[in-house]
Amino acid sequence: MISSLRLRMMTAVGLLAIAAVVAVALAARQRTRAEFHRFQELEKISAATDPNIDAEHIAALLAGRCCDPDGLRTATAALSRHQVLVVADSSGRVIAKSGKPLDTIGEFRFSQHGEVVSIEAARHDQGGVVTGVSLRFQIPGVPVRLTNGSTAHLYVFPMPEEKAAGPEAVFLGSVDCSLLLATVSIAALALLATWMLTRRIAGPIEELRAAAQDLAGGNLGRRVDTRGSDEIAELSRSFNAMAAELEKVQVLRRNLVHDVVHELRTPLAALRCRFDSVTDGISRDPQKEIVGANEEIDHLLRLVEDLHELALAEARELTLAISESHLEPIVQSAARAAGLEGDPRLRMMLDNNLVIRGDAVRLRQVVLNILSNAARCTPADGMITVSASHQDKEIIVEVHNTGSNLTSDEIAHVFDRFYRADPSRQRASGGTGLGLSIVKNIIEAQGGRVWSRSDDSGVSFAFALPSHV
């Protein structure tokens, strides 16, 4: 059973190509032989003597005996081997015909217009090839008296004789050999071209099939060649992108499980220690331990809530109330919530009457997360600058703080789950490590983008959303 795509394609296209080549060769052979035979006949006719030769003598032999069998045999015996006689009435209807060339003619049609006689015949040679014979003569008919006393006309003309062998057969054999050689050569080239074409088409498909099987088996690092610019190359690039995304999701899922376990283990261990110290009676201040345990519980609640919100954002299931809102009240509300109202470190640089398109509640949450991070990382003599401007149909909001820096590697991972540039300070201040990841997903869910940069002056976090224009 033919199961390979390449083999099926090669078989189908190869058979079609060979069939086309053979059909063309057979048609060329048939046409060449027919035309050559026609050429021979015309040559023989042009070399023939007066086509009306012996017609008077033949008419005398048939006079009063036409057209009984004895009379026809007598007249036929007087014909040469390449002559044919036809007796026709005044309407052109053939009354009798005879002659040796008629032995190889299967179909014979005679017509007469004035002195122009037309002959259409089909001759069958020994090889089974049917050769059409079409002759025109300008000869007068010789009157001949029939047995019933009426008068008809006798026509005697040469028919090209068939030669079984000779230079003509050698020529036709040479033509057949040439056609056979050309057919074999072209068929071989067609098969080679078919093989190359199917290899070019089926090769990448086979590679994609094998890669898909590897991917299904868990090898998410599998990639395929993407050379070229055709549809298959585009499919290969899409496959690689899909594989890369699956690999990324697998890594994120594995990291998420690890990070969640790690984040839960620390506060749970702290809770157990605090409660053990109380229940075992070794704590000098049980009330203080209970307060600390309550703080750990609050941290766990925040962690669970952030994880739930992050899961909704990544699944694009956040409920968003998109509308056009003035930006300044959103930023001021977030600053108050972050404890920065009246803080000498905070400076606002907002264009007047900026209107942004998005969910106002979620945007406040985004700005609050960024400002809270900035407040934790900025020293007392530092500066937190909030700026916003309208650029290319976007509202760009940027929060820049001094007193801290991020490396290029930290910039690349700063929006990942549970990533902390300074783990000790984040945990001590109650951060879950999910804030910036939530920020990124909220902004992208509203059709925006988010980024971070760092230089000698400090760190900036920014996002962009469509304006109302």
Side-chain angles (χ1 to χ4, degrees):
M1 182 178 66
I2 299 176
S3 58
S4 170
L5 175 63
R6 179 184 298 182
L7 187 56
R8 290 201 303 269
M9 292 177 61
M10 186 171 179
T11 301
V13 179
L15 287 177
L16 286 175
I18 291 175
V21 170
V22 171
V24 171
L26 290 176
R29 178 181 182 274
Q30 182 76 7
R31 187 63 179 172
T32 300
R33 295 177 73 89
E35 290 298 322
F36 185 75
H37 283 304
R38 182 180 177 84
F39 170 75
Q40 284 182 303
E41 291 162 2
L42 293 176
E43 286 293 311
K44 292 170 184 176
I45 293 171
S46 65
T49 56
D50 183 5
N52 203 33
I53 188 170
D54 298 327
E56 296 288 348
H57 174 63
I58 301 299
L61 293 175
L62 288 173
R65 303 173 61 189
C66 187
C67 292
D68 60 37
D70 291 337
L72 280 177
R73 277 195 294 271
T74 301
T76 302
L79 294 173
S80 66
R81 62 186 177 84
H82 63 275
Q83 285 183 319
V84 171
L85 68 85
V86 174
V87 179
D89 61 17
S90 59
S91 65
R93 182 177 64 88
V94 176
I95 299 173
K97 62 182 183 294
S98 184
K100 185 174 180 55
L102 295 178
D103 294 341
T104 60
I105 291 178
E107 183 180 351
F108 184 91
R109 291 195 299 272
F110 173 89
S111 61
Q112 181 259 335
H113 303 282
E115 293 187 354
V116 178
V117 175
S118 300
I119 305 297
E120 301 289 339
R123 171 179 287 158
H124 300 267
D125 64 13
Q126 295 177 352
V129 178
V130 178
T131 304
V133 180
S134 180
L135 304 175
R136 301 289 186 274
F137 298 105
Q138 188 170 0
I139 56 175
V142 178
V144 60
R145 185 167 51 85
L146 305 180
T147 55
N148 60 6
S150 61
T151 301
H153 289 84
L154 170 70
Y155 299 91
V156 179
F157 46 82
M159 286 288 289
E161 60 180 332
E162 180 182 6
K163 297 182 72 175
E168 297 86 352
V170 174
F171 170 76
L172 291 176
S174 175
V175 170
D176 289 345
C177 290
S178 299
L179 286 174
L180 179 61
L181 179 61
T183 300
V184 172
S185 300
I186 295 175
L189 289 175
L191 287 176
L192 177 62
T194 301
W195 179 80
M196 295 177 65
L197 177 63
T198 54
R199 182 184 179 187
R200 175 69 182 86
I201 295 176
I205 296 177
E206 291 177 359
E207 185 182 6
L208 277 170
R209 178 187 59 81
Q213 290 178 344
D214 291 344
L215 207 66
N219 182 13
L220 300 182
R222 184 72 155 84
R223 300 293 184 271
V224 295
D225 186 17
T226 59
R227 287 177 297 179
S229 57
D230 56 11
E231 290 82 356
I232 296 178
E234 184 64 28
L235 178 62
S236 299
R237 283 189 284 271
S238 298
F239 175 87
N240 287 345
M242 178 189 68
E245 187 64 24
L246 288 175
E247 187 176 27
K248 179 182 177 183
V249 169
Q250 184 188 52
V251 171
L252 289 176
R253 184 183 295 114
R254 186 167 53 243
N255 291 343
L256 175 63
V257 173
H258 176 270
D259 292 338
V260 168
V261 170
H262 177 73
E263 291 295 326
L264 291 175
R265 181 187 293 119
T266 302
L268 288 174
L271 274 175
R272 182 165 186 170
C273 290
R274 292 181 185 278
F275 284 120
D276 285 348
S277 66
V278 173
T279 57
D280 293 343
I282 60 175
S283 174
R284 295 181 179 180
D285 189 353
Q287 184 63 33
K288 181 179 179 182
E289 296 298 337
I290 293 174
V291 172
N294 189 58
E295 292 175 354
E296 296 294 343
I297 292 173
D298 289 340
H299 176 77
L300 286 173
L301 290 174
R302 284 195 301 271
L303 177 61
V304 171
E305 184 63 29
D306 285 350
L307 281 172
H308 175 67
E309 189 164 15
L310 180 61
L312 291 176
E314 290 183 340
R316 298 293 189 265
E317 294 179 359
L318 277 178
T319 302
L320 298 174
I322 303 298
S323 62
E324 294 178 355
S325 307
H326 287 279
L327 180 63
E328 186 174 4
I330 295 174
V331 175
Q332 290 176 347
S333 176
R336 286 193 297 271
L340 291 173
E341 187 176 25
D343 194 310
R345 298 176 299 173
L346 181 64
R347 183 175 60 174
M348 298 278 194
M349 299 177 61
L350 306 177
D351 292 349
N352 293 331
N353 299 321
L354 279 180
V355 176
I356 194 168
R357 181 172 178 77
D359 186 317
V361 175
R362 295 294 181 183
L363 290 178
R364 177 184 178 277
Q365 180 183 356
V366 167
V367 178
L368 173 59
N369 269 318
I370 297 176
L371 284 175
S372 297
N373 286 340
R376 285 193 294 266
C377 299
T378 305
D381 58 347
M383 183 70 67
I384 301 173
T385 304
V386 181
S387 60
S389 60
H390 188 185
Q391 300 178 20
D392 297 329
K393 297 183 179 181
E394 286 183 326
I395 298 296
I396 297 178
V397 179
E398 183 175 13
V399 177
H400 178 270
N401 69 276
T402 61
S404 63
N405 295 98
L406 295 176
T407 65
S408 57
D409 184 66
E410 291 171 339
I411 290 288
H413 297 284
V414 74
F415 292 103
D416 293 347
R417 304 186 192 98
F418 299 111
Y419 184 80
R420 293 184 176 93
D422 186 352
S424 60
R425 182 163 58 181
Q426 290 272 357
R427 191 179 303 279
S429 59
T432 63
L434 296 173
L436 291 178
S437 184
I438 293 173
V439 164
K440 180 176 182 293
N441 281 277
I442 288 176
I443 293 299
E444 290 180 351
Q446 299 180 73
R449 52 196 178 92
V450 63
W451 65 93
S452 176
R453 60 184 178 85
S454 177
D455 53 29
D456 293 339
S457 65
V459 179
S460 294
F461 286 89
F463 64 89
L465 282 175
S467 66
H468 73 291
V469 179

PDB file of all heavy atoms in Angstrom, residues 23 35 105 146 155 175 182 184 195 227 240-241 255 305 345 351 386 388 448-449 468:
ATOM      1  N   ALA A  23       1.345   9.712 -25.170  1.00  0.00           N
ATOM      2  CA  ALA A  23       0.258  10.126 -26.054  1.00  0.00           C
ATOM      3  C   ALA A  23       0.755  11.038 -27.164  1.00  0.00           C
ATOM      4  O   ALA A  23       0.378  10.891 -28.337  1.00  0.00           O
ATOM      5  CB  ALA A  23      -0.837  10.821 -25.235  1.00  0.00           C
ATOM      6  N   GLU A  35       1.119  11.344 -43.065  1.00  0.00           N
ATOM      7  CA  GLU A  35       1.582  12.385 -43.982  1.00  0.00           C
ATOM      8  C   GLU A  35       2.622  11.851 -44.960  1.00  0.00           C
ATOM      9  O   GLU A  35       2.656  12.244 -46.128  1.00  0.00           O
ATOM     10  CB  GLU A  35       2.151  13.562 -43.179  1.00  0.00           C
ATOM     11  CG  GLU A  35       1.111  14.364 -42.429  1.00  0.00           C
ATOM     12  CD  GLU A  35       0.110  15.013 -43.365  1.00  0.00           C
ATOM     13  OE1 GLU A  35       0.519  15.460 -44.449  1.00  0.00           O
ATOM     14  OE2 GLU A  35      -1.081  15.041 -43.010  1.00  0.00           O
ATOM     15  N   ILE A 105      -8.311  -1.389 -50.237  1.00  0.00           N
ATOM     16  CA  ILE A 105      -9.081  -0.191 -49.882  1.00  0.00           C
ATOM     17  C   ILE A 105     -10.382  -0.624 -49.229  1.00  0.00           C
ATOM     18  O   ILE A 105     -11.151  -1.403 -49.793  1.00  0.00           O
ATOM     19  CB  ILE A 105      -9.344   0.690 -51.116  1.00  0.00           C
ATOM     20  CG1 ILE A 105      -8.023   1.306 -51.588  1.00  0.00           C
ATOM     21  CG2 ILE A 105     -10.351   1.784 -50.780  1.00  0.00           C
ATOM     22  CD1 ILE A 105      -8.135   2.154 -52.808  1.00  0.00           C
ATOM     23  N   LEU A 146     -24.411   0.432 -71.708  1.00  0.00           N
ATOM     24  CA  LEU A 146     -24.705  -0.597 -70.725  1.00  0.00           C
ATOM     25  C   LEU A 146     -25.546  -1.696 -71.363  1.00  0.00           C
ATOM     26  O   LEU A 146     -26.065  -1.565 -72.475  1.00  0.00           O
ATOM     27  CB  LEU A 146     -25.449   0.007 -69.527  1.00  0.00           C
ATOM     28  CG  LEU A 146     -24.769   1.185 -68.815  1.00  0.00           C
ATOM     29  CD1 LEU A 146     -25.632   1.654 -67.663  1.00  0.00           C
ATOM     30  CD2 LEU A 146     -23.391   0.782 -68.339  1.00  0.00           C
ATOM     31  N   TYR A 155     -14.425   5.939 -66.300  1.00  0.00           N
ATOM     32  CA  TYR A 155     -13.262   6.700 -65.865  1.00  0.00           C
ATOM     33  C   TYR A 155     -12.158   5.715 -65.487  1.00  0.00           C
ATOM     34  O   TYR A 155     -12.389   4.778 -64.723  1.00  0.00           O
ATOM     35  CB  TYR A 155     -13.589   7.558 -64.638  1.00  0.00           C
ATOM     36  CG  TYR A 155     -14.684   8.573 -64.887  1.00  0.00           C
ATOM     37  CD1 TYR A 155     -16.017   8.249 -64.641  1.00  0.00           C
ATOM     38  CD2 TYR A 155     -14.387   9.841 -65.378  1.00  0.00           C
ATOM     39  CE1 TYR A 155     -17.023   9.163 -64.862  1.00  0.00           C
ATOM     40  CE2 TYR A 155     -15.395  10.768 -65.602  1.00  0.00           C
ATOM     41  CZ  TYR A 155     -16.705  10.424 -65.346  1.00  0.00           C
ATOM     42  OH  TYR A 155     -17.710  11.331 -65.576  1.00  0.00           O
ATOM     43  N   VAL A 175      12.104   6.975 -37.902  1.00  0.00           N
ATOM     44  CA  VAL A 175      11.256   7.931 -37.180  1.00  0.00           C
ATOM     45  C   VAL A 175      10.725   7.309 -35.897  1.00  0.00           C
ATOM     46  O   VAL A 175      10.714   7.936 -34.833  1.00  0.00           O
ATOM     47  CB  VAL A 175      10.097   8.409 -38.085  1.00  0.00           C
ATOM     48  CG1 VAL A 175       9.076   9.207 -37.266  1.00  0.00           C
ATOM     49  CG2 VAL A 175      10.625   9.257 -39.219  1.00  0.00           C
ATOM     50  N   ALA A 182      13.147   9.616 -27.879  1.00  0.00           N
ATOM     51  CA  ALA A 182      12.714  10.896 -27.311  1.00  0.00           C
ATOM     52  C   ALA A 182      11.710  10.670 -26.186  1.00  0.00           C
ATOM     53  O   ALA A 182      11.749  11.340 -25.147  1.00  0.00           O
ATOM     54  CB  ALA A 182      12.109  11.778 -28.397  1.00  0.00           C
ATOM     55  N   VAL A 184      11.402   7.982 -24.202  1.00  0.00           N
ATOM     56  CA  VAL A 184      12.080   7.456 -23.016  1.00  0.00           C
ATOM     57  C   VAL A 184      12.858   8.568 -22.308  1.00  0.00           C
ATOM     58  O   VAL A 184      12.840   8.688 -21.075  1.00  0.00           O
ATOM     59  CB  VAL A 184      13.008   6.295 -23.398  1.00  0.00           C
ATOM     60  CG1 VAL A 184      13.853   5.869 -22.208  1.00  0.00           C
ATOM     61  CG2 VAL A 184      12.194   5.111 -23.907  1.00  0.00           C
ATOM     62  N   TRP A 195      10.422  13.799  -9.111  1.00  0.00           N
ATOM     63  CA  TRP A 195      11.079  13.431  -7.858  1.00  0.00           C
ATOM     64  C   TRP A 195      11.606  14.665  -7.127  1.00  0.00           C
ATOM     65  O   TRP A 195      11.439  14.801  -5.910  1.00  0.00           O
ATOM     66  CB  TRP A 195      12.221  12.467  -8.155  1.00  0.00           C
ATOM     67  CG  TRP A 195      12.967  12.062  -6.912  1.00  0.00           C
ATOM     68  CD1 TRP A 195      12.604  11.131  -5.990  1.00  0.00           C
ATOM     69  CD2 TRP A 195      14.216  12.600  -6.452  1.00  0.00           C
ATOM     70  NE1 TRP A 195      13.536  11.047  -4.991  1.00  0.00           N
ATOM     71  CE2 TRP A 195      14.543  11.941  -5.237  1.00  0.00           C
ATOM     72  CE3 TRP A 195      15.092  13.560  -6.945  1.00  0.00           C
ATOM     73  CZ2 TRP A 195      15.698  12.219  -4.529  1.00  0.00           C
ATOM     74  CZ3 TRP A 195      16.241  13.843  -6.227  1.00  0.00           C
ATOM     75  CH2 TRP A 195      16.539  13.173  -5.047  1.00  0.00           C
ATOM     76  N   ARG A 227      13.652  27.693   5.866  1.00  0.00           N
ATOM     77  CA  ARG A 227      14.182  28.367   4.675  1.00  0.00           C
ATOM     78  C   ARG A 227      13.093  28.541   3.620  1.00  0.00           C
ATOM     79  O   ARG A 227      12.251  27.681   3.440  1.00  0.00           O
ATOM     80  CB  ARG A 227      15.342  27.569   4.084  1.00  0.00           C
ATOM     81  CG  ARG A 227      16.621  27.654   4.900  1.00  0.00           C
ATOM     82  CD  ARG A 227      17.700  26.784   4.300  1.00  0.00           C
ATOM     83  NE  ARG A 227      17.322  25.378   4.317  1.00  0.00           N
ATOM     84  CZ  ARG A 227      18.079  24.409   3.834  1.00  0.00           C
ATOM     85  NH1 ARG A 227      19.242  24.701   3.282  1.00  0.00           N
ATOM     86  NH2 ARG A 227      17.671  23.148   3.893  1.00  0.00           N
ATOM     87  N   ASN A 240       7.171  26.598  14.440  1.00  0.00           N
ATOM     88  CA  ASN A 240       8.232  26.952  15.390  1.00  0.00           C
ATOM     89  C   ASN A 240       7.728  27.941  16.436  1.00  0.00           C
ATOM     90  O   ASN A 240       8.074  27.839  17.619  1.00  0.00           O
ATOM     91  CB  ASN A 240       9.429  27.531  14.640  1.00  0.00           C
ATOM     92  CG  ASN A 240      10.210  26.466  13.885  1.00  0.00           C
ATOM     93  OD1 ASN A 240      10.037  25.268  14.121  1.00  0.00           O
ATOM     94  ND2 ASN A 240      11.064  26.884  12.987  1.00  0.00           N
ATOM     95  N   ALA A 241       6.902  28.897  15.977  1.00  0.00           N
ATOM     96  CA  ALA A 241       6.348  29.871  16.936  1.00  0.00           C
ATOM     97  C   ALA A 241       5.435  29.175  17.942  1.00  0.00           C
ATOM     98  O   ALA A 241       5.466  29.472  19.142  1.00  0.00           O
ATOM     99  CB  ALA A 241       5.584  30.962  16.183  1.00  0.00           C
ATOM    100  N   ASN A 255       7.549  26.782  36.556  1.00  0.00           N
ATOM    101  CA  ASN A 255       8.037  27.812  37.483  1.00  0.00           C
ATOM    102  C   ASN A 255       6.933  28.283  38.432  1.00  0.00           C
ATOM    103  O   ASN A 255       7.190  28.584  39.606  1.00  0.00           O
ATOM    104  CB  ASN A 255       8.592  28.999  36.705  1.00  0.00           C
ATOM    105  CG  ASN A 255       9.880  28.649  35.981  1.00  0.00           C
ATOM    106  OD1 ASN A 255      10.531  27.648  36.284  1.00  0.00           O
ATOM    107  ND2 ASN A 255      10.252  29.468  35.008  1.00  0.00           N
ATOM    108  N   GLU A 305      -5.299  36.052  46.442  1.00  0.00           N
ATOM    109  CA  GLU A 305      -6.081  36.994  45.641  1.00  0.00           C
ATOM    110  C   GLU A 305      -5.315  37.435  44.391  1.00  0.00           C
ATOM    111  O   GLU A 305      -5.885  37.527  43.300  1.00  0.00           O
ATOM    112  CB  GLU A 305      -6.439  38.211  46.506  1.00  0.00           C
ATOM    113  CG  GLU A 305      -7.327  39.226  45.810  1.00  0.00           C
ATOM    114  CD  GLU A 305      -8.684  38.656  45.441  1.00  0.00           C
ATOM    115  OE1 GLU A 305      -9.157  37.743  46.144  1.00  0.00           O
ATOM    116  OE2 GLU A 305      -9.261  39.109  44.427  1.00  0.00           O
ATOM    117  N   ARG A 345       8.815  63.403  47.927  1.00  0.00           N
ATOM    118  CA  ARG A 345       9.504  62.688  46.849  1.00  0.00           C
ATOM    119  C   ARG A 345       8.698  62.671  45.549  1.00  0.00           C
ATOM    120  O   ARG A 345       9.249  62.456  44.473  1.00  0.00           O
ATOM    121  CB  ARG A 345       9.787  61.244  47.260  1.00  0.00           C
ATOM    122  CG  ARG A 345      10.704  61.091  48.467  1.00  0.00           C
ATOM    123  CD  ARG A 345      10.833  59.616  48.842  1.00  0.00           C
ATOM    124  NE  ARG A 345       9.545  59.037  49.207  1.00  0.00           N
ATOM    125  CZ  ARG A 345       9.344  57.754  49.440  1.00  0.00           C
ATOM    126  NH1 ARG A 345      10.350  56.893  49.333  1.00  0.00           N
ATOM    127  NH2 ARG A 345       8.140  57.318  49.789  1.00  0.00           N
ATOM    128  N   ASP A 351       0.097  66.294  31.343  1.00  0.00           N
ATOM    129  CA  ASP A 351      -0.525  67.270  30.450  1.00  0.00           C
ATOM    130  C   ASP A 351      -1.969  67.481  30.868  1.00  0.00           C
ATOM    131  O   ASP A 351      -2.651  66.555  31.308  1.00  0.00           O
ATOM    132  CB  ASP A 351      -0.493  66.762  28.998  1.00  0.00           C
ATOM    133  CG  ASP A 351       0.937  66.731  28.462  1.00  0.00           C
ATOM    134  OD1 ASP A 351       1.822  67.279  29.136  1.00  0.00           O
ATOM    135  OD2 ASP A 351       1.149  66.156  27.369  1.00  0.00           O
ATOM    136  N   VAL A 386       5.979  61.194  38.076  1.00  0.00           N
ATOM    137  CA  VAL A 386       4.908  60.615  37.253  1.00  0.00           C
ATOM    138  C   VAL A 386       4.652  61.576  36.098  1.00  0.00           C
ATOM    139  O   VAL A 386       4.276  62.730  36.324  1.00  0.00           O
ATOM    140  CB  VAL A 386       3.622  60.394  38.067  1.00  0.00           C
ATOM    141  CG1 VAL A 386       2.548  59.764  37.178  1.00  0.00           C
ATOM    142  CG2 VAL A 386       3.896  59.523  39.283  1.00  0.00           C
ATOM    143  N   ALA A 388       2.958  62.029  31.965  1.00  0.00           N
ATOM    144  CA  ALA A 388       2.031  61.479  30.962  1.00  0.00           C
ATOM    145  C   ALA A 388       1.964  62.440  29.794  1.00  0.00           C
ATOM    146  O   ALA A 388       2.000  63.665  29.976  1.00  0.00           O
ATOM    147  CB  ALA A 388       0.648  61.260  31.569  1.00  0.00           C
ATOM    148  N   GLY A 448      -3.071  47.605  25.165  1.00  0.00           N
ATOM    149  CA  GLY A 448      -1.908  48.467  25.359  1.00  0.00           C
ATOM    150  C   GLY A 448      -0.624  47.687  25.442  1.00  0.00           C
ATOM    151  O   GLY A 448      -0.559  46.495  25.160  1.00  0.00           O
ATOM    152  N   ARG A 449       0.428  48.358  25.858  1.00  0.00           N
ATOM    153  CA  ARG A 449       1.753  47.744  26.005  1.00  0.00           C
ATOM    154  C   ARG A 449       2.435  48.339  27.231  1.00  0.00           C
ATOM    155  O   ARG A 449       2.103  49.457  27.655  1.00  0.00           O
ATOM    156  CB  ARG A 449       2.606  47.967  24.759  1.00  0.00           C
ATOM    157  CG  ARG A 449       2.690  49.420  24.326  1.00  0.00           C
ATOM    158  CD  ARG A 449       3.205  49.579  22.893  1.00  0.00           C
ATOM    159  NE  ARG A 449       3.226  50.975  22.491  1.00  0.00           N
ATOM    160  CZ  ARG A 449       4.261  51.791  22.619  1.00  0.00           C
ATOM    161  NH1 ARG A 449       5.384  51.315  23.180  1.00  0.00           N
ATOM    162  NH2 ARG A 449       4.217  53.041  22.229  1.00  0.00           N
ATOM    163  N   HIS A 468      -8.470  58.922  23.465  1.00  0.00           N
ATOM    164  CA  HIS A 468      -9.890  59.021  23.055  1.00  0.00           C
ATOM    165  C   HIS A 468     -10.009  59.494  21.623  1.00  0.00           C
ATOM    166  O   HIS A 468     -11.101  59.470  21.066  1.00  0.00           O
ATOM    167  CB  HIS A 468     -10.629  59.965  24.003  1.00  0.00           C
ATOM    168  CG  HIS A 468     -10.270  61.428  23.790  1.00  0.00           C
ATOM    169  ND1 HIS A 468      -9.029  61.924  24.098  1.00  0.00           N
ATOM    170  CD2 HIS A 468     -10.989  62.458  23.287  1.00  0.00           C
ATOM    171  CE1 HIS A 468      -8.994  63.230  23.815  1.00  0.00           C
ATOM    172  NE2 HIS A 468     -10.176  63.557  23.316  1.00  0.00           N
TER     173      HIS A 468
END
